[in-house]
């Protein structure tokens, strides 16, 4: 099973044994495959979303750097993230009092519950709230200053997720976030999509954010195998709670205080392309 | 054009426009393709070796971490490395007095001169010596203590390169290296081939090396898009010449002192698998 990435002129494939499921939701086509080496695979509209084996890289990096950068994150909103893997990581932080996950497509969560149950093991946490609704409207309607961290865990900026990559959406996030709030968004491949990262940071800046940090990490199932998240803050600076990260009471497979620090220093060619 | 990686159950593909060349050497089949987004591609026996666009990641990480770890590297031997990209990076270090590249297959270098000329731009450097010979025999015949750094820049441990991944070869390297010498070898994907890295380090230890360091880095054209090199020292410790790395007089695209430091701290799941 191969997925061709038109913008990158490259492809990634997996040896699959069978198709386990397929559902056409009102928003997109979701397919589940069983593979020989990577566990189950979820594809949305033909694009690889996650594998059992390597999703920990993405989910840990979408959550822990932001949560260990904020001084005391209590109220977290996840836009997208229907597979619930990011939610699970967020809820590992004992200080989090409320985590709202707002994905437009309930079928993504239903498929994840069935084929990636380990990602959904915190869905019953009393702090978790699962909404199946339009994330753009949700952020627009949030009470000002009511959120500590917004995590945009979406598909690529085409189709349903297109509206999550522009100034209007970032303005909603800016307004919803408290003064020390952090927005973090998956920001595609730092090897081939540097223009997108630069544009994203530009739109975030126009929306009022003043400080930005792009963290690369490996992610085999996404184009080029190298991915990134981008953090934006209203306030300046990205010093993280390194002592807390070192002393955390939960286990991680990829994230660590050292990995966090290492990811924060971009390779020269990435920094150069972003005019840093 | 797709390459299937049997041991990983995955594949990587490139959108190619045409085949530019093909040669069957006495050792292997070398193919050159032109691609839409990645420049030229070189495949050996069907396995992707390098692309114009992303080879800098590999070549910089195969050379600069080792050269900036050794206190004063003067004599460097590259086993394999026929595309000459590692040689070019090694010769950027003004302190290097001699760099011997010993690849068994002259055709790799001839193809690289033609289709990757930028990698061969230092081949005429008076410090460079290009040999087309058996790297195992070359290392076995090196005068004891005559080499500061051995770089094993080979294909995977099957076919011609198989003999570069065992105790006998590492013993030759150990003997050829001076007391503060460093061996560095490409060590496959830290995501799916951790057993190989562990075995490699075990064989290096049996050959007499006492300290090891595995550095991961992104490499889109290799399986999983995440690769590694492993350094071995006779002496203990891997503190590198950080001030020299920061003040280096040549440009790099991926390598930097910060990237070096970051790569040196392994993610928990890699460290765990290596019993570190």
């Amino acid at each position: 099973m191969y997925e061709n990435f038109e913008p990158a002129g490259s492809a990634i494939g997996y040896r699959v044994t069978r198709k386990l499921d397929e559902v056409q939701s009102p928003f997109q086509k979701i397919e589940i495959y069983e593979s020989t080496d990577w566990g189950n695979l979820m594809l949305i509209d033909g694009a690889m979303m996650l594998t059992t084996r390597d999703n920990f890289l993405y989910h840990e990096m979408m959550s822990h750097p932001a949560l260990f950068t904020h001084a005391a994150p209590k109220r977290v909103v996840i836009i997208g993230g229907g597979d619930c893997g990011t939610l699970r990581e967020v809820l590992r932080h004992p200080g989090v009092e409320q985590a709202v996950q707002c994905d437009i497509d309930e079928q993504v969560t239903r498929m994840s519950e069935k084929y990636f149950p380990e990602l959904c093991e915190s869905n019953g946490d009393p702090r978790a709230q699962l909404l199946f609704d339009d994330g753009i409207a949700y952020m627009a309607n949030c009470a000002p200053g009511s959120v500590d961290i917004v995590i945009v865990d979406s598909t690529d900026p085409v189709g349903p997720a297109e509206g999550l990559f522009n100034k209007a959406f970032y303005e909603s996030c800016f307004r919803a976030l408290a003064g020390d709030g952090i927005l973090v968004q998956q920001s595609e491949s730092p090897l081939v999509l540097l223009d997108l990262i630069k544009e994203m940071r530009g739109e975030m800046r126009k929306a009022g954010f003043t400080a930005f940090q792009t963290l690369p990490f490996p992610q085999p199932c996404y184009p080029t195998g190298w991915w990134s998240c981008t953090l934006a803050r209203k306030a300046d600076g990205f010093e993280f709670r390194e002592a807390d990260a070192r002393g955390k009471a939960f286990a991680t497979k990829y994230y660590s205080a050292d990995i966090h620090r290492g990811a924060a220093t971009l390779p020269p060619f990435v920094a150069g392309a972003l005019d840093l």
Side-chain angles (χ1 to χ4, degrees), chain A residues 22-256:
Chain A
E22 176 179 328
V23 60
Q24 175 68 53
S25 80
F27 307 100
Q28 51 209 357
K29 184 168 84 168
I30 308 164
E31 295 165 282
I32 310 285
Y33 290 89
E34 181 188 77
S35 74
T36 55
D37 291 71
W38 296 80
N40 291 339
L41 318 175
M42 181 190 287
L43 278 79
I44 291 186
D45 288 342
M48 184 69 64
M49 287 296 113
L50 71 151
T51 83
T52 302
R53 184 170 180 177
D54 75 0
N55 75 79
F56 69 92
L57 298 158
Y58 176 87
H59 289 134
E60 291 184 7
M61 290 304 283
M62 286 296 287
S63 52
H64 303 311
L67 270 84
F68 278 124
T69 297
H70 193 286
K74 292 182 173 62
R75 302 156 300 174
V76 179
V77 171
I78 301 161
I79 299 298
D83 60 51
C84 307
T86 298
L87 177 67
R88 181 184 68 169
E89 295 304 316
V90 165
L91 290 169
R92 294 195 198 280
H93 292 254
V96 168
E97 295 172 357
Q98 187 188 46
V100 176
Q101 173 187 302
C102 181
D103 195 300
I104 202 164
D105 194 345
E106 183 171 353
Q107 285 306 317
V108 174
T109 300
R110 298 295 160 247
M111 287 287 131
S112 189
E113 287 168 339
K114 200 163 170 189
Y115 299 105
F116 302 89
E118 68 282 7
L119 300 184
C120 299
E121 65 189 25
S122 300
N123 289 7
D125 189 304
R127 299 171 294 164
Q129 189 182 359
L130 273 66
L131 305 177
F132 301 106
D133 214 333
D134 178 7
I136 298 172
Y138 181 84
M139 287 314 305
N141 295 327
C142 268
S146 66
V147 179
D148 296 317
I149 293 182
V150 176
I151 302 176
V152 188
D153 176 1
S154 76
T155 50
D156 296 336
V158 288
E162 196 176 354
L164 302 175
F165 289 79
N166 60 43
K167 175 166 166 271
F169 174 68
Y170 298 143
E171 281 173 339
S172 295
C173 295
F174 188 87
R175 200 168 41 240
L177 285 167
D180 54 356
I182 298 175
L183 167 66
V184 53
Q185 183 166 26
Q186 72 88 358
S187 48
E188 310 277 318
S189 169
L191 191 70
V192 298
L193 293 171
L194 277 165
D195 288 352
L196 182 138
I197 298 174
K198 195 171 174 181
E199 195 184 320
M200 174 188 289
R201 291 166 69 128
E203 294 289 295
M204 287 171 170
R205 186 180 295 279
K206 284 187 214 158
F209 291 97
T210 56
F212 309 93
Q213 184 179 49
T214 297
L215 305 176
F217 53 89
Q219 185 55 62
C221 78
Y222 291 165
T224 77
W226 201 35
W227 214 246
S228 69
C229 62
T230 293
L231 282 66
R233 289 192 89 162
K234 291 181 158 190
D236 227 2
F238 279 100
E239 272 312 303
F240 70 109
R241 293 183 286 120
E242 185 164 344
D244 290 348
R246 282 192 198 286
K248 67 186 167 53
F250 56 89
T252 45
K253 290 176 73 181
Y254 182 72
Y255 179 85
S256 72

